[in-house]
Amino acid sequence: MKLFFCLSLVSSLLLSACHREDSATTAAAPSVSEASNAGNYPLDTCVVSGEKLGSMGKPYIITYEGQEVRLCCKSCQGHFQEDPGKYLAKLKLK
């Protein structure tokens, strides 16, 4: 019984260490925000899909290098991360 308890404890510690590594690697990714300043954002469409923000539910908001970016849904984040400059340029045009 003691052996089982020790093995359980060790595996729990290893899993928690893995979780901390994962969270450290995702820290460099764009952060997601729930709060928004509707009057300050220059677009009413998703920079990736062109869909109207809010047409698929609450906009998915990320911050990339200090710039707030609003997407129509979470799946657009992957496309954004492939070429952020392309999509950030759309914000600067407005």
Side-chain angles (χ1 to χ4, degrees):
M1 187 70 165
K2 289 182 182 180
L3 178 63
F4 177 76
F5 177 75
C6 289
L7 289 175
S8 296
L9 182 61
V10 168
S11 62
S12 295
L13 291 172
L14 289 174
L15 287 174
S16 66
C18 290
H19 177 70
R20 274 184 258 138
E21 285 180 23
D22 289 344
S23 63
T25 58
T26 58
S31 62
V32 178
S33 169
E34 290 295 323
S36 64
N37 298 325
N40 297 336
Y41 194 74
L43 300 176
D44 63 351
T45 57
C46 174
V47 293
V48 174
S49 70
E51 295 288 327
K52 182 115 173 117
L53 292 173
S55 65
M56 297 183 187
K58 199 171 187 177
Y60 190 76
I61 303 171
I62 61 173
T63 303
Y64 182 80
E65 296 183 355
Q67 171 69 54
E68 180 181 301
V69 180
R70 297 182 188 187
L71 307 171
C72 63
C73 62
K74 185 176 181 175
S75 64
C76 284
Q77 183 177 2
H79 297 288
F80 176 84
Q81 289 176 326
E82 290 173 5
D83 191 1
K86 171 183 172 182
Y87 300 112
L88 289 173
K90 292 181 181 183
L91 285 172
K92 292 180 174 127
L93 293 175
K94 298 292 176 185

